[in-house]
Amino acid sequence: MRVLFIHADYIEFEAKSKAMKAAEEIERKRERYEECLVAFISVEEGDSSLLHKAVDEIEDVAKKVNAERIVLYPYAHLSSNLAGASEAMDVLRNLEEEMKKRGYEVHRAPFGWYKSFVISCKGHPLSELSKEIKSEEKEEESEALKAEKRTTYWYIMDTDGNLHSVEEFDYRDYPNLKKFADYEISGSRAAKEIPPHVKLMQSLEIADYEPGSDSGNMRYYPKGKLIKALIEEYVESRVLDYGAMQVETPIMYDYEHPSLKSYLNRFPARQYIVLSGRDKYFLRFAACFGQFLMMHDATISYKNLPLKIYELAKYSFRREQKGELSGLRRLRAFTMPDMHTLARDLREAMEEFKKQYEMAIEVLRDFGLSLGDYEVAIRFTRDFYEENKEFIKELVRLVDRPVLIQMWDERFFYFVLKFEFNFVDSLNKAAALSTVQIDVENAERYGITYYDENGEEKYPYILHCSPSGAVERVIYAMLEKADMDAKKGKKPMLPVWLSPTQIRIIPVRDEFTGCAIQEMDYFAKEGFRVDVDDRDLTVSRKIRDAEKEWIPYIVVMGEKEKERDILTVRIRGDGVKEMKREELLEILRNETEGKPKRRLPLPPLLSERPRFR
RNA sequence: GCCACCGUAGCUCAGUCGGUGGAGCGCCACCUUGGUAAGGUGGAGGUCGCGGGUUCGAUUCCCGCCGGUGGCUCCA
């Protein structure tokens, strides 16, 4: 039900002609009421069950504006999902009855008529107000969330496995853990500034807002596209090494599909809705659906377990609230590496959980985020903890630092155990990166089964894993960390394997551009990203520009280098050194070993490059 | 979704108590041929976010919308 409230000096309306056969019979065509709260109402499908909630809402508003006279005005134009005429009329009549019982003077404009009306709105802050009164299903959900809050317990677990209360833990050596715990528990946040990574993503020509799209849908310039592609390739190779099978599934799903619908209703977040003719589809907010539907149709033996399916969910869509969107930290369209593992029992699920936990640590390390650059949260039900205390302690030992623990008396979500690695930025906001969950609910919901040794059909446990978290969020964390480094006086940079230009060669004069290009070809042939600044500028100026791009190795070419056949290399944050080209090659090989390689995303000569910003 | 602030050249921003606008950077041209974080001179470039309203006249005032940022709410 949708209601538009107007607190009015008066309303006057006149029924002109019937808009439908079912229109009510009326006595007076023209009516006028002074000093009243007018409720324009669209009755939607299924609203008969919402009567009491609607009455509460109307009374709530009436009390706020001190109105004793209420005019219920049927108004179909607030919704595209209207109830049938008979249901709507019943709901309106019942509303009238109930409001009268509560002691209000209630009038109702006739249903099913074209009416003219004049209204005088008082214009104070509460005089215009719209409300959407939602279904019972969603109401139950919010009750569940409230219950979750009542039975949630927070602790810090130290590396010896002892639980401390979050208030009393000594955070002296772990200031970020304190910030993370505050953020998680109280949700306190006091940021006033633009997050530092936003300026960096723009000035480094990585990503930018796209005013031509919905907010939270970014554009990625060539350098940003390169970084994303490398991160994606890297995560993909990690999970393939781990034994996953890569698949691809649709980005939109039938809104009315039974198992999807119950999942959607359990998590009433905001989806993008796509209309295909009259049919409604929602854009996926993770890769779960497609993979679950695929596994539902698969024939799986216990011999196939643990079975791992991986997909790069590009994109995943979540229509986050506008106020919540922020640079690359929280988007409406994002790229989510998403792996699901079927495990035969809890023991196997825990084994895989631990492997994936260790993989996530290594993955983040390769992005330049070490233990200590992020905070660990482990969440579980009390039952799980009682039966698996040693396992939890082991997880904490593996990261060798205290961890935020959240424990529930009952299971509110689909999982019994979950971890996340959270990056805490300079504005004290936390953002989850890697995560794994043990899901005990969706195998049944989606009808995913395997056959055990006795030929019996069983439900497996399902692990949800994103070893890195959203790709855009990895970039956010790297940029935020670089900014923190810069504030500490350290030169900010990306890991060498992710730097769009790894070597910049700067000829001292035009006549050396030729040798510079020769050197470039040497390194390019070895698979590194090299470019030449052939612009008509001073050496100082070209150095400055290269430094502003965070280029890790800057090579100046002139007489000296040509005669002695050496390279003068300015290593980022480490001064200028002379070396043979083979030495530089060796350094680069060490820096990028085992990481994916991609070619330079821009023309190799700087004079041929546009500026995107 | 609600509230607040913001939107002027490609970028960062100044300005107009209502009379169609500036700087630095970038871009283009010329000079300069350079040695580790900005060489010099000149030029081009604007529907002052979009749409209405008030006005003789709106970039400026008012309303609406769009976009950005922050707060609240929310975050599977």
Side-chain angles (χ1 to χ4, degrees), chain A residues 201-356:
Chain A
M201 80 186 187
Q202 293 173 327
S203 61
L204 292 170
E205 294 192 342
I206 290 173
D208 216 331
Y209 298 115
E210 176 49 76
S213 182
D214 189 22
S215 29
N217 290 255
M218 312 297 274
R219 62 161 71 138
Y220 298 90
Y221 298 118
K223 291 180 196 173
K225 170 64 194 170
L226 169 86
I227 293 169
K228 283 190 77 182
L230 285 167
I231 293 172
E232 291 164 11
E233 237 175 283
Y234 169 79
V235 174
E236 179 185 310
S237 76
R238 290 302 303 239
V239 297
L240 295 185
D241 286 348
Y242 171 67
M245 296 175 270
Q246 189 165 20
V247 299
E248 187 172 312
T249 62
I251 65 164
M252 64 179 84
Y253 293 88
D254 186 349
Y255 207 79
E256 301 301 329
H257 189 287
S259 22
L260 303 183
K261 202 171 183 183
S262 64
Y263 195 35
L264 276 179
N265 285 337
R266 174 129 198 200
F267 302 110
R270 299 141 206 268
Q271 280 87 42
Y272 277 107
I273 303 294
V274 174
L275 291 176
S276 171
R278 290 194 161 189
D279 300 328
K280 252 168 112 181
Y281 295 86
F282 66 91
L283 295 182
R284 65 177 174 194
F285 45 84
C288 306
F289 315 102
Q291 296 186 20
F292 288 174
L293 293 171
M294 189 182 279
M295 293 192 284
H296 164 83
D297 291 335
T299 305
I300 300 167
S301 153
Y302 71 96
K303 295 174 192 166
N304 308 140
L305 302 182
L307 184 148
K308 302 143 197 166
I309 301 256
Y310 170 74
E311 176 168 12
L312 183 71
K314 186 172 185 166
Y315 288 109
S316 292
F317 296 90
R318 298 184 189 184
R319 239 185 70 79
E320 304 287 4
Q321 297 187 79
K322 257 176 126 173
E324 190 54 40
L325 297 170
S326 156
L328 292 174
R329 178 175 175 272
R330 198 175 200 88
L331 295 167
R332 283 185 174 169
F334 57 97
T335 308
M336 194 69 172
D338 205 354
M339 175 169 68
H340 292 90
T341 306
L342 302 190
R344 60 184 304 170
D345 51 26
L346 187 57
R347 173 187 297 272
E348 188 171 273
M350 284 161 61
E351 265 172 42
E352 296 306 312
F353 184 95
K354 192 176 145 194
K355 285 184 200 161
Q356 294 175 13

Side-chain angles (χ1 to χ4, degrees), chain A residues 16 82 146 158 171 216 355 385 454 561:
Chain A
K16 294 281 192 185
L82 290 171
K146 275 182 212 158
D158 66 25
Y171 293 98
K355 285 184 200 161
Y385 179 63
N454 305 317
E561 290 76 13

Side-chain angles (χ1 to χ4, degrees), chain A residues 363-378:
Chain A
V363 166
L364 293 190
R365 184 176 294 137
D366 281 339
F367 295 136
L369 303 168
S370 314
L371 292 171
D373 288 331
Y374 51 86
E375 297 304 324
V376 181
I378 304 177

Side-chain angles (χ1 to χ4, degrees), chain A residues 1 50-59 95 99 133:
Chain A
M1 182 183 298
L50 293 178
L51 189 65
H52 288 282
K53 204 174 169 221
V55 174
D56 288 346
E57 290 281 357
I58 296 171
E59 183 167 30
L95 273 180
M99 291 306 294
I133 297 161

